[in-house]
């Protein structure tokens, strides 16, 4: 019993740790899904972050001190995200966390970081209310409010005679449900008719019912909010059963994983994007060249957003070092986290996504968006996103 | 340091053990039901709605922290009632058909929460009020519940009801021939499990900060079943041992990255082949050997 009490007392004392310096290299946490079906996006994010670590350290890191990324896999569920955050905060002693991949995980894990006063930058959380979770939470992924209408406008330019529109969305996916809301408002705002609304599920593979309904409604445009696998299949079946009109896809179509699913049938699909590897700015040129060098392919949007998150943290760290006059590595971790959070918000950054601004809430304002058309190569497995001219 | 790192994990083990236990009661009466996770999800939604919806603002104001026990009671009542409604028709089915029917029930529940506004659709509910600063604090929720349920289970095995459950498990026809009202007993075992799952759900919503339809996925059902089978379906301690192993393993093996899921799978396979009575069965046979 006595030894138990001593042990408990020891644990308690260890908890009230003394001031701890950050140390060199500066640890930055990456908590994204590297396993389960979220890994499809998580792996792209890991790649983007790795490019950021290499590129930013080559540029001198934070005033000469390099950064080191600490990776923790969140898996695909809430408990995994909480565990990953907990590990990064108390074991890896990171100065900030980038993640998690899904908005639903962010709702579970971000309050934990907020309580521990550790800044979180969300690379891909697009749901409403993320930045409002707390003072220490910000995100660099634009909500779809601006992106979606752009794609519709560009589609109307290609075919000004569009009148009747079919809307399709995956009803069991948080992102697609919120995206379709924005699409539907934009469609009505442009004076078009929504003739039919079809619901799917992200695990569906057979879309005969939905395709028949769309063909029967005689529409000139189909606007889809689905993920890569189900969306690709749906496009394929639409085309195979004879639909010839325009197809506009949301952010879920924004992945090279689409091409092998739907092959040639995807050529011509219009996609709204928050990032394009062809974007014409210096930051993006450096990033996409380094990415191609490392992974032999064009970066996807998730990679660019992960890169951007790391860059935001590093830029803010540089800012803290400049304004405080102290070396980051020698600062107390808790103190630095607070200063870093203050530096992250209310600033603007040059990134591969173009210029972005984070307001005092940690909410992003992005200046440039892109609209591309999918072009699948003859092999039916690879392809490119061709930027549509302004 | 240790508690700070693993506080969440420790509570998660207890929470999952309780969930496994909710499946253990129907199994005790020989019924393979996977419905628990549906009631868990429903209990969670009840707590999440009461914690966040403006309609309950007056309740939150008036009750303060007493709101949590009220949520548990409502979840318990709702789960037991729904359990009764589902149990009476479903328990006419046997074996694999009952498992399929309960899976279907969970799927139906999932579709319902996806289309309702009050459950937040696909995004779910978030910003659920927190009674504790640290994750470890939730041990005050789950710990006593686990203790009560363990005592209850241990007592149950010695009562008429418990013995009837086990008689049905061993041979339903023989049990019936001896005058045990089998349908009544099966529904009773099922409802106990449903009620427990509902309460665990209501406690888990604040613990996870957020609640959505993915809490009741098919994977989660199977995980629950695995806790009981690996831990030992015939021992009171089975669900706890199983949950401790299966919840902790992926976390402890975190440094192995992708390989940890393979390790998890290997443990499952090995346990299924070599431990038909689960870990509890292994421990019991070890003790028997020692005595002999």
């Amino acid at each position: 019993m006595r030894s138990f009490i001593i042990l408990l007392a020891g644990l308690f004392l260890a908890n009230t740790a003394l001031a701890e310096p950050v140390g060199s290299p500066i640890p930055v946490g990456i908590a994204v899904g590297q396993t389960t079906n979220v890994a499809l996006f998580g792996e792209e994010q890991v790649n983007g972050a790795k490019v950021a670590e290499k590129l930013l350290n080559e540029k001198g890191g934070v005033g000469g001190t390099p950064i080191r990324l600490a990776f923790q896999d969140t898996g695909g569920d809430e408990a995994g995200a909480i565990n990953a955050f907990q590990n990064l905060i108390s074991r890896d002693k990171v100065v900030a966390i980038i993640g998690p991949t899904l908005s639903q995980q962010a709702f579970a894990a971000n309050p934990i970081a907020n309580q521990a006063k550790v800044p979180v930058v969300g690379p891909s959380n697009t749901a409403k209310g993320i930045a409002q979770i707390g003072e220490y939470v910000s995100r660099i992924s634009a909500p779809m409010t601006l992106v979606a209408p752009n794609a519709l406008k560009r589609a109307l330019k290609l075919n000004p005679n569009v009148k009747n529109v079919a809307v399709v969305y995956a009803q069991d996916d948080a992102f697609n449900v919120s995206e379709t809301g924005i699409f539907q408002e934009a469609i009505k705002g442009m004076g078009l008719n929504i003739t039919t609304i079809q619901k799917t599920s992200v695990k569906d593979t057979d879309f005969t019912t939905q395709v028949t309904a769309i063909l029967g409604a005689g529409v000139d445009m189909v606007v889809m909010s689905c993920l890569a696998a189900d969306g690709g299949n749906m496009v394929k079946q639409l085309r195979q059963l004879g639909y010839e009109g325009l197809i506009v896809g949301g952010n879920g179509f924004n992945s090279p994983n689409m091409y092998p699913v739907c092959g040639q049938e995807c050529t011509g699909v219009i996609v709204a994007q928050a990032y394009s590897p062809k974007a014409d700015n210096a930051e993006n040129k450096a990033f996409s060249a380094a990415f191609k060098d490392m992974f032999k392919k064009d970066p996807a949007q998730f990679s660019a957003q992960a890169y951007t998150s790391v860059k935001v943290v590093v830029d803010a760290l540089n800012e803290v070092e400049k304004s405080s006059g102290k070396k980051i590595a020698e600062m107390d971790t808790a103190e630095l986290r607070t200063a870093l959070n203050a530096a992250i918000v209310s600033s603007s950054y040059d990134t591969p996504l173009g210029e972005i601004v984070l307001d005092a809430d940690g909410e992003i304002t992005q200046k440039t968006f892109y609209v591309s058309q999918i072009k699948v190569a003859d092999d039916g497995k690879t392809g490119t996103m061709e930027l549509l001219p302004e | 340091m240790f508690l700070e790192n693993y506080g969440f994990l420790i509570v998660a083990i207890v929470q999952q053990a309780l969930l496994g236990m909710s499946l253990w009661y129907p199994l005790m009466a020989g019924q393979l039901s996977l419905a628990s996770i549906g009631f868990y999800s429903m209990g969670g939604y009840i707590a999440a709605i009461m914690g966040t919806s403006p309609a309950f603002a007056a309740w939150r104001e008036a009750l303060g922290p007493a709101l949590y026990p009220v949520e548990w009671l409502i979840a318990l009542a709702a789960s037991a009632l729904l359990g009764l409604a589902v149990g009476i028709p479903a328990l006419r089915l046997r074996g694999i058909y009952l498992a399929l029917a309960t899976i279907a029930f969970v799927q139906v529940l999932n579709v319902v929460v996806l289309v309702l506004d009050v459950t937040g659709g696909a995004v779910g509910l978030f910003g659920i009020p927190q009674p504790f600063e640290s994750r470890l604090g939730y041990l005050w929720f789950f710990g006593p519940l686990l203790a009560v349920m363990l005592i209850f289970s241990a007592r149950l095995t010695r009562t008429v009801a418990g013995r009837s459950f086990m008689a049905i498990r061993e041979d339903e026809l023989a049990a019936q021939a001896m005058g045990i009202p089998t349908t009544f007993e099966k529904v009773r075992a099922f409802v106990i499990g449903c009620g427990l799952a509902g309460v665990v759900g209501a406690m888990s919503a604040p613990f996870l900060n957020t609640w959505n339809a993915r809490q009741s996925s098919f994977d989660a059902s199977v995980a629950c079943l695995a806790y009981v089978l690996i831990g030992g379906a015939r021992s009171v301690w089975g669900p706890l041992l199983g949950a401790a192993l299966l919840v902790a393993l992926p976390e402890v093996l975190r440094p192995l990255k992708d390989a940890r899921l393979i390790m998890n799978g290997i443990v499952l396979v090995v346990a299924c082949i070599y431990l038909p009575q689960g870990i509890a069965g292994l421990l019991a046979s070890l003790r028997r050997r020692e005595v002999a």
Side-chain angles (χ1 to χ4, degrees):
Chain A
M1 190 64 204
R2 196 146 149 222
S3 56
F4 182 68
I5 292 173
I6 293 173
L7 182 75
L8 269 187
L11 284 172
F12 181 74
L13 282 177
N15 258 335
T16 55
L18 299 165
E20 280 177 276
V22 173
S24 168
I26 302 164
V28 177
I30 310 279
V32 296
Q34 293 167 262
T35 49
T36 75
N37 56 357
V38 188
L40 217 58
F41 305 122
E43 280 307 324
E44 288 179 354
Q45 292 178 316
V46 168
N47 292 350
K50 279 186 180 153
V51 173
E53 186 179 31
K54 182 167 172 274
L55 218 57
L56 295 172
N57 277 341
E58 277 170 9
K59 278 191 198 156
V62 182
T65 318
I67 59 158
R68 175 181 64 83
L69 297 185
F71 289 93
Q72 284 282 349
D73 173 25
T74 61
D77 62 348
E78 285 74 8
I82 293 178
N83 270 323
F85 269 50
Q86 205 98 56
N87 280 333
L88 287 173
I89 294 168
S90 46
R91 206 172 51 205
D92 294 321
K93 310 249 183 278
V94 297
V95 296
I97 297 176
I98 289 156
T101 308
L102 303 176
S103 295
Q104 284 162 330
Q105 290 180 313
F107 287 127
N110 288 5
I112 302 221
N114 197 55
Q115 230 164 34
K117 297 195 178 358
V118 179
V120 182
V121 180
S124 54
N125 313 136
T126 42
K128 228 187 193 164
I130 294 282
Q132 287 71 36
I133 288 173
E135 206 189 321
Y136 283 81
V137 179
S138 48
R139 63 166 155 191
I140 59 95
S141 40
M144 290 305 287
T145 4
L146 291 164
V147 189
N150 268 342
L152 293 176
K153 267 183 225 151
R154 215 61 65 80
L156 281 189
K157 237 186 211 172
L158 289 180
N159 179 6
N161 299 324
V162 170
K163 280 271 149 359
N164 297 320
V165 183
V167 172
V168 183
Y169 71 95
Q171 62 165 346
D172 56 345
D173 181 81
F175 173 75
N176 288 318
V177 172
S178 65
E179 189 188 65
T180 195
I182 294 154
F183 265 135
Q184 290 181 28
E185 250 170 60
I187 292 169
K188 283 180 207 149
M190 295 168 127
L192 306 173
N193 304 323
I194 298 181
T195 318
T196 172
I197 297 180
Q198 296 295 321
K199 295 174 190 175
T200 63
S201 141
V202 287
K203 283 187 183 145
D204 282 356
T205 47
D206 175 23
F207 299 95
T208 321
T209 327
Q210 289 90 345
V211 171
T212 316
I214 291 170
L215 291 175
V219 298
D220 333 291
M221 182 159 86
V222 178
V223 178
M224 294 170 59
S225 296
C226 301
L227 296 183
D230 54 328
N233 261 318
M234 171 104 195
V235 170
K236 189 174 190 172
Q237 290 174 29
L238 260 175
R239 291 291 190 217
Q240 281 172 346
L241 289 172
Y243 175 75
E244 284 172 354
L246 287 173
I247 298 177
V248 174
N251 196 32
F253 280 40
N254 226 328
S255 160
N257 299 319
M258 278 277 292
Y259 312 142
V261 178
C262 71
Q264 295 287 342
E265 272 86 2
C266 264
T267 296
V269 172
I270 297 165
V271 184
Q273 296 178 302
Y275 167 75
S276 163
K278 304 225 161 59
D280 190 20
N281 66 58
E283 274 296 328
N284 182 47
K285 279 180 184 152
F287 163 66
S288 71
F291 192 96
K292 244 187 169 155
D293 195 40
M294 247 168 123
F295 299 105
K296 314 290 169 237
K297 59 179 180 185
D298 272 339
Q301 180 181 307
F302 282 94
S303 307
Q305 286 175 328
Y307 176 92
T308 300
S309 311
V310 180
K311 175 142 201 297
V312 162
V313 171
V314 170
D315 281 3
L317 281 169
N318 272 311
E319 190 56 45
V320 172
E321 188 161 289
K322 226 184 281 166
S323 62
S324 70
K326 274 195 271 182
K327 281 309 244 181
I328 295 286
E330 285 148 21
M331 284 175 82
D332 169 46
T333 304
E335 224 172 83
L336 171 69
R337 284 167 174 172
T338 313
L340 176 61
N341 189 56
I344 287 176
V345 296
S346 317
S347 306
S348 69
Y349 303 89
D350 277 325
T351 74
L353 309 176
E355 192 195 334
I356 60 169
V357 181
L358 292 182
D359 67 15
D361 267 350
E363 189 69 272
I364 182 183
T365 313
Q366 188 172 337
K367 299 268 163 76
T368 336
F369 292 104
Y370 309 90
V371 181
S372 294
Q373 213 162 12
I374 293 178
K375 197 166 175 217
V376 178
D378 290 335
D379 64 1
K381 290 196 182 84
T382 55
T384 47
M385 299 261 183
E386 301 287 336
L387 263 186
L388 278 173
E390 288 288 331
Chain B
M1 206 43 228
F2 175 82
L3 289 179
E4 209 176 299
N5 260 339
Y6 291 104
F8 178 84
L9 189 62
I10 293 166
V11 183
I13 288 173
V14 179
Q15 179 224 11
Q16 295 293 316
L18 280 162
L19 208 50
M21 215 176 244
S22 72
L23 225 121
W24 181 82
Y25 294 107
L27 270 178
M28 192 178 168
Q31 306 305 309
L32 178 60
S33 147
L34 291 172
S36 279
I37 206 81
F39 293 94
Y40 167 72
S41 159
M42 192 177 76
Y45 272 112
I46 289 174
I49 290 168
M50 288 180 70
T52 56
S53 159
F56 286 96
W59 285 51
R60 289 195 288 274
E61 195 106 320
L63 289 169
L67 180 71
Y68 297 104
V70 173
E71 289 172 355
W72 306 340
L73 283 179
I74 294 180
L76 175 68
S79 312
L81 277 178
L82 186 63
L84 205 60
V86 174
I88 291 172
L91 289 167
R92 288 163 178 271
L93 303 169
R94 276 167 208 222
I96 191 76
Y97 299 103
L98 175 65
L100 283 176
T102 48
I103 290 170
F105 161 73
V106 175
Q107 294 297 327
V108 169
L109 217 60
N110 256 342
V111 173
V112 170
V113 295
L114 279 174
V115 295
L116 285 182
D117 277 338
V118 66
T119 53
V123 182
L125 298 164
F126 52 90
I128 299 165
Q130 304 283 309
F132 304 108
E133 277 275 305
S134 120
R135 293 296 102 183
L136 200 60
Y138 282 88
L139 219 46
W140 292 111
F141 276 14
F142 295 110
L145 183 64
L146 181 72
V148 168
M149 291 322 289
L150 280 174
I151 295 169
F152 174 75
S153 308
R155 293 286 309 153
L156 187 67
T157 50
R158 294 192 190 90
T159 60
V160 177
R163 287 182 197 281
S164 309
F165 292 174
M166 287 185 275
I168 297 170
R169 178 181 69 196
E170 296 306 329
D171 191 330
E172 193 172 336
L173 269 179
Q176 207 161 18
M178 289 194 313
I180 294 172
T182 50
T183 312
F184 174 79
E185 295 296 348
K186 284 196 292 190
V187 172
R188 180 144 78 166
F190 182 73
V191 171
I192 295 174
C194 298
L196 174 62
V199 176
V200 176
M203 288 182 176
S204 302
F207 175 57
L208 287 180
N209 293 318
T210 174
W211 205 256
N212 52 51
R214 295 186 314 143
Q215 301 308 328
S216 55
S217 63
F218 180 62
D219 296 1
S221 293
V222 174
C224 269
L225 187 63
Y227 301 149
V228 185
L229 297 183
I230 300 292
R234 298 202 164 197
S235 162
V236 179
W237 299 97
L240 184 58
L241 291 171
L245 181 70
L246 292 183
V247 176
L249 203 60
E251 284 311 315
V252 176
L253 298 180
R254 217 171 241 286
L256 293 182
K257 303 218 164 113
D258 273 349
R260 73 199 169 108
L261 295 181
I262 301 174
M263 284 296 294
N264 213 20
I266 291 175
V267 168
L268 273 176
V269 172
V270 169
C272 284
I273 297 175
Y274 295 105
L275 299 175
Q277 299 297 325
I279 305 169
L282 174 78
L283 294 178
S285 70
L286 284 179
R287 198 178 317 152
R288 269 199 299 277
R289 210 172 296 163
E290 232 164 67
V291 172

